[in-house]
């Protein structure tokens, strides 16, 4: 397997696209969105650039695809950040221009429903990072899920190493993971190493 090539990391002063490829919830929830923009500016020294559908609930898949295209095509934008997840990003993917995105690679950061866009980007070329959202499932559900996995592996793959309690996905606390990056799991040492 060839090691992935990493795009340049954003540095202070860089312009960062802020888009809503799944849902325009910043229009309904402006305070957390504004706080995020403020932190990008003040804590990271980045210049966030919003696109037309970023704060628009009910924007069409075409409008959201246009924002994705504009963000990747803009040579002054160094990275693309999704404002939030949602539930219908899958409707945007057929409208995306692979060649435009492949020709303008830059890192993409998103979580939740943005997993669809992460997979699209991984198969297209740009590097992406997924930040999980806060946990939505209760302790009982997690315990039942764990037992189901243990039962299935005992039957179908009894020699498989099992890793539980890693904060990936919809969890709290949260860990940023590189989509398609290198992750090493050392079971006996109980250690996971992620290369960013």
């Amino acid at each position: 397997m060839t090691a992935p090539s990493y795009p340049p990391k954003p540095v202070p002063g860089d312009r960062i696209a802020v888009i809503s490829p799944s849902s325009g919830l910043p229009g309904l929830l402006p305070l957390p969105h504004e706080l995020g923009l403020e932190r990008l500016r003040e804590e990271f020294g980045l210049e966030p650039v919003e696109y037309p559908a970023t704060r628009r609930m009910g924007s069409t898949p075409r409008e959201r695809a246009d924002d994705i295209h504009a963000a990747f095509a803009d040579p002054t934008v160094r990275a693309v950040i999704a404002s939030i997840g949602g539930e219908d990003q899958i409707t945007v993917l057929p409208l995306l221009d692979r060649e435009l995105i492949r020709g303008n690679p830059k890192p993409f950061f998103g979580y939740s429903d943005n997993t669809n866009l992460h997979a699209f980007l991984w198969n297209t070329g740009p590097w992406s990072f997924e930040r999980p959202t806060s946990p939505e499932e209760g302790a009982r559900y997690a315990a039942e899920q764990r037992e189901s996995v243990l039962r299935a592996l005992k039957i179908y793959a009894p020699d498989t190493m099992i890793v539980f309690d890693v904060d990936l996905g919809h969890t709290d606390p949260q860990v940023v993971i590189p989509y398609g990056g290198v992750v090493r799991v050392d079971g006996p040492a109980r250690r996971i190493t992620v290369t960013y």
Side-chain angles (χ1 to χ4, degrees):
M1 179 177 120
T2 306
S5 59
Y6 294 88
K9 295 178 182 176
V11 296
D14 281 350
R15 289 166 45 90
I16 306 297
V18 177
I19 61 175
S20 297
S22 186
S23 174
L25 282 171
L28 290 179
L29 305 167
L31 294 179
H33 182 69
E34 289 295 334
L35 179 60
L37 297 176
E38 180 182 315
R39 287 189 175 156
L40 285 172
R41 289 184 195 101
E42 295 180 9
E43 294 183 26
F44 297 99
L46 301 171
E47 182 185 336
V49 179
E50 291 188 64
Y51 287 77
T54 302
R55 298 185 191 223
R56 189 179 324 129
M57 283 298 294
S59 60
T60 67
R62 169 54 63 199
E63 290 169 326
R64 288 178 275 143
D66 288 347
D67 282 1
I68 294 168
H69 290 148
F72 275 94
D74 187 338
T76 69
V77 167
R78 296 298 303 258
V80 180
I81 298 176
S83 65
I84 196 162
E87 61 183 20
D88 77 339
Q89 189 177 90
I90 197 89
T91 64
V92 174
L93 301 185
L95 305 173
L96 295 180
D97 182 336
R98 280 189 192 275
E99 293 309 312
L100 181 148
I101 293 171
R102 184 179 291 121
N104 299 280
K106 53 192 70 171
F108 170 73
F109 300 85
Y111 59 97
S112 192
D113 195 38
N114 289 287
T115 300
N116 296 301
L117 188 51
H118 283 292
F120 176 90
L121 294 173
W122 175 250
N123 289 311
T124 301
W127 192 256
S128 61
F129 297 86
E130 181 160 5
R131 183 192 69 80
T133 59
S134 59
E136 295 180 357
E137 312 298 345
R140 180 173 156 209
Y141 176 80
E144 291 171 358
Q145 190 177 44
R146 179 187 203 112
E147 290 305 314
S148 294
V149 170
L150 288 171
R151 275 194 309 275
L153 286 175
K154 185 176 181 181
I155 294 168
Y156 298 106
D159 295 327
T160 301
M161 179 175 49
I162 303 170
V163 178
F164 286 113
D165 303 321
V166 178
D167 293 319
L168 305 175
H170 286 249
T171 64
D172 188 16
Q174 301 172 351
V175 176
V176 174
I177 57 172
Y179 193 92
V182 177
V183 178
R184 284 193 169 75
V185 178
D186 184 341
R190 300 179 63 83
R191 181 179 308 133
I192 298 175
T193 306
V194 180
T195 303
Y196 293 90

